[in-house]
Amino acid sequence: MFYHNFKYSLKILLKNKMLIFWTFAFPIILGSLFKMAFSDIENNEKLDTIDIAIIQTEEFNNNQIYKKTYEELSNKNNKNKLFNIYYIKEKNNLESKKKANQLLEQDKIVGYLFLENKKEIIVKTSGINQTVFKYVTEEIIQTEKIITNLIKEGMSSNSTDQTINQLYEKIYDKVLSINENNTILKDTTNTNLSYTMIEFYTLIAMTCLYGGILAMTSINNNLANMSSKGKRIFISPTKKYKTIISSVLASYIVQLIGLFILFIYTVVVLKVDYGNNFPLIILLALIGSLAGLSLGVFTSCVFKNSENTKTGIIISLTMLGCFLSGMMGITMKYVIDKNVPIINKLNPANMITDGFYSLYYYDTLDRYYFNIISLIIFAMILIVISTFSLRRQKYDSI
Amino acid sequence: MKNVIEVKNLTKKYKELKAIDDLSFEVYEGEILGLLGPNGSGKSTTINCLLSLLNFNKGTIKIFGKTMKPSSYDIKEKIGVVFQDIAVFEELNVIDNINYFCGLYIKDKDTRKKYVLDAINLVGLENYKKFYPKQLSGGLLRRLNIACGIAHKPKLIFLDEPTVAVDPQSRNNILEGIKKLRDEGSTIVYTTHYMEEVEIICDRVIIIDKGSIIASGTTDEVKHLASIEEKVTVEVVDLENKYLEEIKNLKHVDEVKYDNNILFITYKKGKNNLIDLIDYLKINKINYTKIFSERPTLNDVFLELTGKELRD
């Protein structure tokens, strides 16, 4: 009986055009739209190389930190090249400044650096390029200060070869620790870092949760108070738990088929990068789908509304969850995480999104497993409540 | 006669409203029992209580000698139900629908295959095996609904208004199929508000109104509860009033109505009423185009007992 019901539940679900649209086609359509919409935005928002000028004062020429850093940032072989630099050296600094101002007036540069007794960054207007120039220069100034202080500290004692070596080690450690601790300086050059990734992660979350519609439909077909087919199944000698479990299992399989197709589509056609840890990606998809399934089971068993209303409930909850976890813009996820973190801690869409996000961006798996465990707890709570609700055998009215 | 169903003092309330009020009856093996009553009289609620689908406030229900409970799987094995609402899957074709529901009862594939084909033949869907429900007419869909409920060859069948909104051809087909099921040994509980159907197929009738039994017995026994004996209908053009008055005074005449050139006469008793009326029309040279006589129907009984029509 279990296999018989499972087989037919599978057939019924796969032939239901409305369900297949929402769980198979809709995420693919939405994913394609994301790709079209956001890839253009992202391309437009890529930083162009910024034209700046540096007046070659004596101080600049003697300061290796500045000199080397700007050389590197304007090196044409550096794929992260940030600046095109005009080096200006006239008869004196005043003439050089005049020349720089001229370039600034002609909009050939966004600003220039003048390094003498004090450090001056001169820009004409405000804007993203000006801010980047200013920000990078200030970072260099900060780093220079740290290194200079360490050197002064080291030189104040009686310098020996040993103390000088120790000093170098100290400077090396300090600079290294800046790079390790400061996320701004984290190396991301080996990844295709893209904020649109989050859109695709929420898309996967949406597909996992939409799978709940499949489970809800399957269970509704078995409930005497929800459909005439349910009455017919109820009065058959097949035990309720057998029909329910086999139907739910069938809906889970269909859900996974849909998710698999979406994964293939996003990887092959949309070129989405989920990272390299495939077993953990699959585990997250399986658990995420389980959460979606539990949402469907819960909606089906606890709410006494019509099937259309229940579908509406699942779609609304899913879309709201996805919105809060960044589907319509990563800012929302950031705002919720920062201001009302409890919402995203309870939001299954965010648990799935954040799971993928953490797999992609973090070297450790703590955050990933936190999300996995949260999803399991979420699913278990809903299934337990649903089971108690389902145990009732007779109805007061149907 | 052996009882298949035994209901005692069944009462079901929806808040203050009594949907079933102290109902007691029995269904005997091999009979077709008609559960007759207008819409909202409590027929479907009674069936749902019998099937343990609904909680009830008072009373006992025994089927095949055992108390019926939701977990009475041994009893459920022998029951088939055709609900008033169509209960088939839109996504499955005719043969798959029947096979699915039959599979909830019959494990063996070969036996099930044979049973499914038997059911298809019984309801006359041989030419529609691969059709999907949306491709079937209302009548054919009703037939599929019946096939899904009886394919496993149950010993006890509940048919809850299976012919609602069905064309005459499908109705005849369905009624013939039900008689065939009874002939093959099934006991049938048939609820309807179409008294003509009950008169055609039922061995016994229970008439329900407002959750209570108001009459029961064979159709002839129930008809005897009516005070009228005969109804005569005559199609006659422009009948003068003086004749109407004279007809009213004929022997055994209870009531006379003349409307749209149709004359209705009801007789309380008497045996040769039609002959006497024809003689009267001949003597008075009243031309008529059609004349026929009827026994009182179950609807007449219901009308007399409750003051309303069965289809109200």
Side-chain angles (χ1 to χ4, degrees):
Chain A
M1 295 296 172
F2 186 91
Y3 176 69
H4 176 79
N5 198 59
F6 171 76
K7 187 179 81 176
Y8 273 98
S9 297
L10 212 56
K11 206 169 183 176
I12 289 162
L13 290 172
L14 287 170
K15 284 192 171 184
N16 187 320
K17 286 175 189 161
M18 190 57 91
L19 284 180
I20 294 304
F21 172 78
W22 283 109
T23 52
F24 281 46
F26 182 66
I28 287 176
I29 294 168
L30 203 58
S32 305
L33 292 174
F34 279 161
K35 184 70 178 177
M36 283 190 276
F38 293 114
S39 62
D40 277 354
I41 291 172
E42 197 168 59
N43 286 338
N44 292 338
E45 287 187 354
K46 270 184 185 167
L47 283 175
D48 291 327
T49 311
I50 302 165
D51 294 320
I52 59 167
I54 294 174
I55 296 175
Q56 287 188 308
T57 56
E58 202 179 333
E59 190 170 341
F60 177 81
N61 287 331
N62 292 334
N63 191 322
Q64 290 305 307
I65 293 171
Y66 282 89
K67 208 172 167 182
K68 291 285 175 196
T69 308
Y70 278 108
E71 266 175 24
E72 184 56 30
L73 289 172
S74 59
N75 185 345
K76 63 180 178 183
N77 296 323
N78 182 353
K79 64 178 179 179
N80 292 320
K81 180 184 173 188
L82 197 56
F83 299 122
N84 276 329
I85 303 176
Y86 291 89
Y87 289 100
I88 301 172
K89 186 167 173 64
E90 299 292 325
K91 281 184 232 164
N92 54 48
N93 285 344
L94 204 65
E95 287 291 314
S96 298
K97 265 182 122 175
K98 201 174 167 185
K99 172 83 177 166
N101 283 325
Q102 214 172 6
L103 289 172
L104 197 60
E105 283 303 316
Q106 292 165 353
D107 288 331
K108 287 187 176 170
I109 56 171
V110 301
Y112 67 87
L113 174 70
F114 181 72
L115 213 65
E116 215 179 32
N117 295 329
K118 60 176 185 174
K119 285 121 190 147
E120 283 184 76
I121 302 159
I122 293 100
V123 292
K124 195 172 84 175
T125 55
S126 60
I128 292 173
N129 287 343
Q130 287 81 349
T131 308
V132 171
F133 172 44
K134 199 173 162 209
Y135 179 80
V136 169
T137 308
E138 279 170 359
E139 279 294 309
I140 298 168
I141 294 167
Q142 287 299 319
T143 312
E144 186 218 6
K145 270 184 189 164
I146 293 166
I147 294 169
T148 313
N149 286 340
L150 285 169
I151 291 169
K152 274 181 189 166
E153 197 181 297
M155 292 303 175
S156 62
S157 58
N158 294 328
S159 300
T160 62
D161 284 351
Q162 197 183 356
T163 53
I164 289 169
N165 280 337
Q166 280 171 351
L167 177 67
Y168 283 140
E169 270 178 34
K170 210 172 172 183
I171 293 168
Y172 179 78
D173 287 345
K174 191 74 183 174
V175 174
L176 205 66
S177 75
I178 292 167
N179 283 321
E180 279 175 354
N181 295 332
N182 193 339
T183 49
I184 295 164
L185 297 176
K186 186 176 175 177
D187 178 15
T188 55
T189 52
N190 62 343
T191 60
N192 300 317
L193 188 63
S194 158
Y195 75 84
T196 58
M197 282 297 174
I198 210 88
E199 317 289 348
F200 292 106
Y201 297 156
T202 56
L203 187 70
I204 298 292
M206 186 195 80
T207 309
C208 288
L209 298 181
Y210 266 3
I213 303 173
L214 294 163
M216 183 272 292
T217 308
S218 266
I219 292 184
N220 263 6
N221 284 338
N222 289 284
L223 294 181
N225 61 338
M226 287 313 303
S227 69
S228 49
K229 290 163 278 189
K231 281 204 272 186
R232 188 166 263 167
I233 292 166
F234 177 89
I235 53 102
S236 77
T238 306
K239 289 185 172 121
K240 200 174 182 177
Y241 77 86
K242 273 190 189 175
T243 55
I244 298 275
I245 293 174
S246 56
S247 300
V248 169
L249 185 64
S251 66
Y252 191 52
I253 300 289
V254 176
Q255 194 178 349
L256 293 181
I257 293 170
L259 199 58
F260 178 72
I261 293 170
L262 180 67
F263 261 118
I264 298 293
Y265 182 78
T266 52
V267 170
V268 175
V269 181
L270 305 181
K271 310 288 180 202
V272 176
D273 189 349
Y274 294 98
N276 302 318
N277 207 335
F278 276 106
L280 293 182
I281 291 165
I282 290 167
L283 178 69
L284 182 57
L286 290 175
I287 305 285
S289 297
L290 183 71
L293 178 125
S294 69
L295 180 67
V297 172
F298 176 82
T299 311
S300 181
C301 298
V302 175
F303 295 106
K304 304 298 173 205
N305 313 75
S306 71
E307 191 164 318
N308 284 341
T309 309
K310 289 180 181 181
T311 305
I313 291 171
I314 295 175
I315 290 177
S316 308
L317 286 176
T318 302
M319 291 315 287
L320 178 68
C322 290
F323 170 69
L324 296 177
S325 56
M327 180 176 251
M328 285 82 181
I330 195 169
T331 319
M332 181 52 72
K333 179 176 164 59
Y334 173 75
V335 168
I336 298 289
D337 279 344
K338 196 180 173 194
N339 300 311
V340 211
I342 187 73
I343 289 180
N344 272 349
K345 291 256 185 311
L346 298 171
N347 175 5
N350 186 64
M351 294 172 200
I352 299 167
T353 306
D354 205 63
F356 281 115
Y357 179 81
S358 58
L359 261 187
Y360 190 86
Y361 287 100
Y362 293 92
D363 297 331
T364 61
L365 293 173
D366 296 355
R367 188 160 164 173
Y368 170 82
Y369 282 118
F370 175 80
N371 284 305
I372 287 279
I373 290 164
S374 302
L375 281 167
I376 291 172
I377 293 169
F378 172 85
M380 286 304 117
I381 289 171
L382 295 192
I383 287 172
V384 167
I385 296 170
S386 307
T387 307
F388 277 108
S389 178
L390 262 181
R391 284 177 61 158
R392 198 170 54 167
Q393 294 274 302
K394 278 188 183 179
Y395 302 95
D396 289 326
S397 63
I398 49 178
Chain B
M1 275 185 285
K2 197 175 164 188
N3 280 347
V4 173
I5 301 175
E6 192 181 329
V7 178
K8 281 186 181 165
N9 310 110
L10 184 66
T11 302
K12 164 75 185 168
K13 287 182 189 173
Y14 291 110
K15 293 183 181 170
E16 292 308 307
L17 177 77
K18 272 189 180 174
I20 305 173
D21 190 5
D22 205 31
L23 207 67
S24 297
F25 65 91
E26 287 158 347
V27 182
Y28 306 120
E29 191 174 22
E31 74 169 347
I32 301 179
L33 174 81
L35 215 52
L36 196 60
N39 289 330
S41 58
K43 304 186 297 288
S44 297
T45 306
T46 305
I47 300 273
N48 287 334
C49 288
L50 291 179
L51 294 170
S52 273
L53 275 164
L54 278 179
N55 283 319
F56 47 87
N57 303 86
K58 208 180 91 181
T60 57
I61 294 167
K62 284 188 176 176
I63 298 181
F64 297 115
K66 293 178 185 173
T67 301
M68 182 65 176
K69 291 179 287 189
S71 57
S72 302
Y73 299 111
D74 52 338
I75 300 175
K76 285 181 171 183
E77 270 179 9
K78 299 175 197 166
I79 295 177
V81 185
V82 176
F83 290 103
Q84 194 175 341
D85 302 326
I86 302 287
V88 297
F89 286 100
E90 290 293 321
E91 299 84 1
L92 301 179
N93 62 25
V94 165
I95 204 157
D96 274 346
N97 258 302
I98 304 172
N99 190 44
Y100 170 66
F101 287 112
C102 188
L104 298 173
Y105 297 81
I106 309 292
K107 279 184 190 172
D108 182 65
K109 265 189 177 178
D110 293 333
T111 311
R112 195 163 74 223
K113 199 173 173 183
K114 185 184 172 303
Y115 281 15
V116 169
L117 290 176
D118 286 349
I120 286 174
N121 291 335
L122 182 83
V123 297
L125 285 175
E126 298 92 332
N127 299 325
Y128 304 95
K129 285 179 199 170
K130 296 287 176 188
F131 279 54
Y132 285 86
K134 66 179 174 191
Q135 296 172 300
L136 299 175
S137 67
L140 294 175
L141 202 54
R142 286 272 161 198
R143 293 196 217 174
L144 171 61
N145 197 35
I146 293 172
C148 291
I150 53 94
H152 56 286
K153 298 194 188 296
K155 286 194 161 46
L156 172 63
I157 303 171
F158 292 91
L159 295 157
D160 191 2
E161 311 222 20
T163 57
V164 170
V166 162
D167 60 279
Q169 191 199 342
S170 287
R171 175 171 296 188
N172 289 338
N173 186 296
I174 289 168
L175 296 179
E176 283 307 313
I178 291 166
K179 279 200 268 188
K180 202 172 166 194
L181 287 168
R182 189 259 319 269
D183 296 342
E184 285 172 0
S186 296
T187 303
I188 295 164
V189 177
Y190 187 85
T191 77
T192 184
H193 59 266
Y194 297 129
M195 71 263 171
E196 308 90 344
E197 291 181 0
V198 172
E199 291 189 45
I200 294 168
I201 64 165
C202 292
D203 302 305
R204 219 155 49 85
V205 182
I206 291 175
I207 301 180
I208 299 179
D209 187 42
K210 293 176 183 169
S212 298
I213 294 174
I214 57 168
S216 67
T218 63
T219 48
D220 278 340
E221 283 169 353
V222 172
K223 281 178 187 175
H224 275 113
L225 296 172
S227 61
I228 58 168
E229 180 68 28
E230 189 176 8
K231 294 196 299 184
V232 175
T233 307
V234 189
E235 199 174 291
V236 53
V237 179
D238 296 332
L239 187 67
E240 291 176 33
N241 274 340
K242 67 169 183 173
Y243 294 124
L244 274 179
E245 289 306 315
E246 282 177 15
I247 291 168
K248 273 182 191 168
N249 294 322
L250 289 177
K251 202 178 170 187
H252 300 140
V253 171
D254 181 46
E255 195 180 1
V256 177
K257 275 187 203 167
Y258 184 62
D259 190 24
N260 281 335
N261 295 327
I262 306 286
L263 179 66
F264 300 99
I265 308 163
T266 52
Y267 293 87
K268 280 214 165 181
K269 53 186 175 179
K271 282 190 175 170
N272 296 314
N273 297 325
L274 184 61
I275 294 167
D276 291 346
L277 180 68
I278 290 171
D279 285 346
Y280 171 81
L281 296 172
K282 200 175 175 183
I283 291 163
N284 290 286
K285 292 181 182 168
I286 300 169
N287 291 324
Y288 58 89
T289 49
K290 203 186 280 178
I291 185 164
F292 61 90
S293 164
E294 292 174 286
R295 292 283 319 278
T297 62
L298 290 171
N299 193 41
D300 296 316
V301 177
F302 191 79
L303 186 65
E304 200 163 313
L305 293 172
T306 66
K308 59 188 178 187
E309 299 239 0
L310 264 169
R311 290 180 194 182
D312 281 353

